[in-house]
Amino acid sequence: MTTAPTSTPPAAAPPGAWAPLRIRVFRILFIAQLVSNVGLWMQTVGAQWFLVERHSSATVVALVQTASLLPTLFLALLAGGLADLLDRRRLLIVVSTGTAVAAAVTTLLAWTDVLTPQTLLLMTFLLGCGSSLSAPAWQAIQPELVPKEQIPAASALGSVTVNGARAVGPAVGGVVVALAGPAAVFALNTLTFLVIIGALVAWRRPVAEVGVDRERLGRSVVTGVHYVRSAPIVRRIMLRSVLFAFPASALWALLPLASSQELHLGATGYGGVLGLLGAGAVGGVALYPALRRHLPPNGVLAASAVAYALGVLALALLPIWAVLPMLVVAGAAWIGTLTTLNASLQLSLAGWVRARGMSVYLLVFMGSQALGSFAWGALASHTNVRTAFLVAATLVLAAGLSTAALPLHPATGTLPRGVSTAWPTPTVVFGPEPDDGPVVVVRTYRVAPEAASDFDRAMVAVGRARRRTGGHSWGLYRDGVDPDLRVEQFTVPSWAEFERQHGQRWTDSDHDLVAAALQHTTTGSPESEQHLLAVPRPPR
């Protein structure tokens, strides 16, 4: 499905840190997300402090993070498929409404004093389900709202809606918990969902036309996974996210216990500590454009990891007066990493698979955080919080140093992603039905002996492109009679999938790979192309 932009963003807007806010629809949705995320962070403070006051173990307290992030493992791929198939605005309205209901139920249980730690974790899990189902759609609409050159700034501002909320929400949440208890915090979180629903209702996004052979959800998810598996640039971004997110999750998971046991703070003080992290993140957004001008993306990732590790070490080793400024540094480092990874992925994904690609990224990043939160909570329970922080800081530092051996791909964010028209429409003498297939595509090339090895190497990248766009069982063969003949063959699940492959998914960068291979042929073009449709099984 191709989504039409809501409007043509002003091309003259400078790509500064705050430039996307000059676009009205982006600004409205940004404010709504910020308000909603303030409520979610208030909810997090209320939930974690609810468990601390009931003397829950370190593992149980850390499970608040796990419960909110774990749904990503189960729902991210489904959410990405839905966001690429359905109207994203309507999907966000429905999911936000369901999440508001879950928040209201949590409020009611707390208000009637029947909320238990187990029930709280369950309701936190349900709220996490809402966030997981909506996250790919929120990520995928960013390029609809701003021009390409503003995507890094929009990505950073998207992180502000989380980290700016982290600066305000925990502080407000801590005060509200101290004055009125967790139930009041849960009630305020419920009300913030009305803001996000109202903003989405007001957004007049044109409804995209959907063909009668709309891609099925299951096939859509599988195609998205195949895309990521066959995209080296995207895979490396995923790897960088795992290397950082798993150890970095220790700070968020164990901070309530560190605030209570190491820093000797109450609910209000814990909210203030989280506020320092959020304030650092907001400051990091302002510094990020200048940092990008002086450091390449890999340099930003390395520097951010080192700074974040220092913040975690401070919590383990230093007194409170030294810890507090280092938390500001850690917040800025967090936003530097997230913005670099997010913007790199936004600029590297093809439009037709953007939501599904972002869903896999969220699955990897949030899943790493969820599993990491559980692991650090278990380690702290068996040793202590200080030991867990020391181990985590060491791993974060190692992640930063690993950029020398495992950097982002040099072509990250630079490839042309427009749909290519260079793949000619196939000629068939009968009209295949959309579900006819599988379709075997066979292309033959004549290659001079001296260019054979160069052609074969170039075709490896072509094979990845075929798989990225919906093909499978790709292979390159030599003819047993004519040694100068190369035969490329791959399979597409159906005729509809084949039409999507060459008409909607084949990008300019994919065509460039084919053109590079054709330079090593004697004719500069394929000698022939065949499309073989599976014969339907005759009735018995």
Side-chain angles (χ1 to χ4, degrees), residues 406-432:
L406 297 168
L408 297 177
H409 195 281
T412 300
T414 64
L415 300 179
R417 289 309 189 194
V419 177
S420 172
T421 59
W423 193 336
T425 301
T427 301
V428 292
V429 297
F430 62 94

Side-chain angles (χ1 to χ4, degrees), residues 192-215:
T192 62
F193 282 105
L194 301 180
V195 177
I196 202 77
I197 293 170
L200 289 167
V201 170
W203 177 26
R204 300 303 179 187
R205 179 180 187 263
V207 179
E209 295 183 3
V210 179
V212 295
D213 62 334
R214 184 174 67 181
E215 193 172 0

Side-chain angles (χ1 to χ4, degrees), residues 32-416:
Q33 284 184 277
L34 180 61
V35 171
S36 180
N37 285 329
V38 166
L40 286 173
W41 274 106
M42 292 172 62
Q43 171 98 12
T44 298
V45 170
Q48 290 179 324
W49 210 256
F50 176 90
L51 296 174
V52 169
E53 289 182 337
R54 281 157 179 76
H55 307 291
S56 300
S57 68
T59 301
V60 173
V61 175
L63 281 176
V64 172
Q65 286 287 324
T66 301
S68 64
L69 299 174
L70 193 60
T72 306
L73 294 177
F74 306 107
L75 298 176
L77 297 179
L78 172 66
L82 289 173
D84 272 335
L85 292 178
L86 304 178
D87 182 275
R88 290 166 185 162
R89 170 182 169 272
R90 293 178 179 176
L91 175 64
L92 288 170
I93 290 173
V94 170
V95 173
S96 298
T97 302
T99 310
V101 172
V105 171
T106 307
T107 303
L108 179 62
L109 293 175
W111 214 278
T112 55
D113 201 27
V114 296
L115 186 65
T116 65
Q118 294 78 13
T119 306
L120 177 60
L121 290 175
L122 174 61
M123 300 312 297
T124 302
F125 180 82
L126 293 177
L127 290 172
C129 289
S131 297
S132 299
L133 287 171
S134 61
W138 279 118
Q139 296 282 353
I141 66 174
Q142 299 301 319
E144 298 182 40
L145 307 177
V146 300
K148 181 179 179 180
E149 63 271 14
Q150 291 186 16
I151 287 179
S155 176
L157 288 172
S159 298
V160 167
T161 64
V162 176
N163 295 287
R166 185 179 284 137
V168 177
V172 175
V175 172
V176 174
V177 167
L179 295 177
V185 171
F186 301 154
L188 290 174
N189 178 46
T190 304
L191 293 178
T192 62
F193 282 105
L194 301 180
V195 177
I196 202 77
I197 293 170
L200 289 167
V201 170
W203 177 26
R204 300 303 179 187
R205 179 180 187 263
V207 179
E209 295 183 3
V210 179
V212 295
D213 62 334
R214 184 174 67 181
E215 193 172 0
R216 292 183 176 87
L217 179 59
R219 171 53 56 185
S220 172
V221 171
V222 171
T223 302
V225 173
H226 285 172
Y227 180 94
V228 172
R229 288 180 57 190
S230 302
I233 292 175
V234 175
R235 290 204 313 270
R236 181 55 58 87
I237 294 172
M238 304 292 179
L239 176 60
R240 295 301 329 165
S241 69
V242 172
L243 293 175
F244 177 79
F246 185 86
S249 65
L251 177 60
W252 305 108
L254 300 178
L255 192 58
L257 293 172
S259 298
S260 175
Q261 298 175 7
E262 304 292 332
L263 304 181
H264 308 292
L265 300 173
T268 303
Y270 170 53
V273 167
L274 277 176
L276 288 175
L277 281 166
V282 174
V285 170
L287 294 174
Y288 179 65
L291 194 61
R292 283 173 50 216
R293 286 194 291 269
H294 293 88
L295 288 176
N298 290 304
V300 175
L301 291 177
S304 297
V306 172
Y308 192 89
L310 292 176
V312 178
L313 282 173
L315 270 170
L317 302 174
L318 301 181
I320 187 171
W321 61 266
V323 168
L324 298 183
M326 290 307 299
L327 290 178
V328 177
V329 173
W334 174 266
I335 203 70
T337 299
L338 265 64
T339 300
T340 300
L341 294 174
N342 192 292
S344 297
L345 190 59
Q346 290 275 14
L347 292 169
S348 298
L349 289 169
W352 65 271
V353 75
R354 183 173 291 116
R356 281 166 281 183
M358 292 304 304
S359 73
V360 177
Y361 167 74
L362 292 170
L363 168 64
V364 170
F365 192 92
M366 306 293 276
S368 298
Q369 277 192 275
L371 296 177
S373 296
F374 175 78
W376 299 120
L379 179 60
S381 293
H382 287 85
T383 56
N384 53 59
V385 173
R386 180 170 297 180
T387 299
F389 278 148
L390 289 174
V391 175
T394 302
L395 293 180
V396 173
L397 183 60
L401 296 177
S402 71
T403 54
L406 297 168
L408 297 177
H409 195 281
T412 300
T414 64
L415 300 179

